[in-house]
Amino acid sequence: MRASTVRSASLSKGRLDIWDVLIRIVLIVVSLICLLPFLHVVSKSLSSDSFVIANKVFLWPQGFTIEAYKKIFADASILRSLYISVIVTVLFTILGMILTICAAYPLSRAQFKGRRVITFIFLFTMYFSGGIIPDYMNINNLGLMDTIWSLILPLSFSAFNLLIMKTSLTHGIPVSLEESARINGAGHFRILFSIVLPLSKPIMATLALFYAVGRWNAYQDALFYIKHETSLRPLQLKLYYLVIQASESFQLEATTVSLSNPEVLKASVVVFATLPILCVYPFVQKYFVQGVMLGAVKE
């Protein structure tokens, strides 16, 4: 009897070891699928033109050179676009978090009447929207064309992020804390700033990252709304012009960058546009998993 039990335990352990190995293999493969394309682009940006033209660059630079990056930093228009992207992303993230918190807190309180109806209205906008043409007409009628606010105001609120924040506040903040604060005479603003927000740092960091990454990678709204003020065009729009018109885009943008091979220029600008947002991840990584779970798990 004891021998059979030991045999069953060893078989179960063997199965678990096999699954652990398979899971690790799958994770390694997925990680490589995500990492290798970026390494290829980095290698092209650090390689000489002749090797890139001959398609001899894969995961390691050939004919190492940083000439492309020197010319990028020497171009005032690209640095101006980087500055615009940083300013827009920071303002957009701050405004988005303020709107999300102000909407999520009252909707998470049980004593707020009509919160289910209002939540449904927000949820409705996730499935149905006016479309691109009504959005463009609205921005034009409001006089926001060719202004930095056309890149900040229209998308500064996300119903998806609101639902995550609302769920986190509903199930992550103990009701007893709010009740004890009310007994001591605290109002809603005091409860929000002294209890709710300090306990919601993980979910706030996660949503702030969602807002920042979404805004940093967006370029379509700038393509529609920034027509004449080329000084307000973000870095991603510069990258878009490079992708669709590799050899002519920067002449159209009045840039001083000139390379014999546009592929090297495209690769260097892709890396240049990606590194700033990658630098943000280490500061919010410790909050990321915990914040997502707070908004997704109900205990």
Side-chain angles (χ1 to χ4, degrees), residues 70-241:
K70 289 181 180 179
K71 294 189 176 183
I72 286 177
F73 281 102
D75 181 20
S77 66
I78 295 182
L79 296 180
R80 172 69 181 179
S81 297
L82 174 63
Y83 171 76
I84 293 296
S85 293
V86 171
I87 294 298
V88 168
T89 301
V90 171
L91 294 178
F92 177 86
T93 303
I94 294 175
L95 180 59
M97 289 304 301
I98 292 175
L99 294 176
T100 301
I101 293 171
C102 291
Y105 175 72
L107 292 177
S108 65
R109 302 300 94 184
Q111 62 269 27
F112 180 62
K113 296 182 180 180
R115 64 192 183 99
R116 295 183 182 274
V117 177
I118 298 177
T119 302
F120 173 77
I121 294 175
F122 284 122
L123 181 63
F124 185 83
T125 61
M126 295 176 59
Y127 299 97
F128 303 95
S129 63
I132 297 177
I133 295 178
D135 288 342
Y136 181 88
M137 295 176 62
N138 189 33
I139 296 297
N140 189 33
N141 293 334
L142 292 174
L144 297 179
M145 297 290 293
D146 285 316
T147 65
I148 195 172
W149 297 108
S150 64
L151 306 179
I152 298 174
L153 296 179
L155 301 176
S156 59
F157 178 79
S158 170
F160 176 76
N161 293 342
L162 166 66
L163 294 178
I164 295 178
M165 187 74 177
K166 172 184 173 296
T167 304
S168 175
L169 297 183
T170 301
H171 304 295
I173 307 298
V175 180
S176 57
L177 289 178
E178 181 181 355
E179 293 176 349
S180 62
R182 288 186 177 279
I183 293 174
N184 292 326
H188 284 293
F189 286 101
R190 182 64 180 275
I191 294 173
L192 176 62
F193 289 106
S194 299
I195 298 177
V196 175
L197 295 185
L199 294 176
S200 303
K201 290 181 180 179
I203 191 65
M204 290 173 59
T206 302
L207 295 184
L209 182 64
F210 287 170
Y211 275 117
V213 173
R215 177 63 266 174
W216 184 267
N217 292 329
Y219 69 91
Q220 190 176 35
D221 52 351
L223 182 65
F224 294 154
Y225 305 146
I226 307 298
K227 290 296 185 181
H228 304 293
E229 292 292 336
T230 57
S231 61
L232 293 179
R233 290 180 177 176
L235 184 61
Q236 291 70 25
L237 191 57
K238 290 278 188 179
L239 179 60
Y240 170 78
Y241 285 133

Side-chain angles (χ1 to χ4, degrees), residues 246-273:
S247 61
E248 301 177 358
S249 61
F250 272 74
Q251 283 71 21
L252 293 176
E253 289 293 306
T255 184
T256 60
V257 172
S258 59
L259 290 176
S260 58
N261 182 17
E263 290 297 322
V264 178
L265 179 60
K266 288 196 295 183
S268 59
V269 175
V270 167
V271 176
F272 182 71

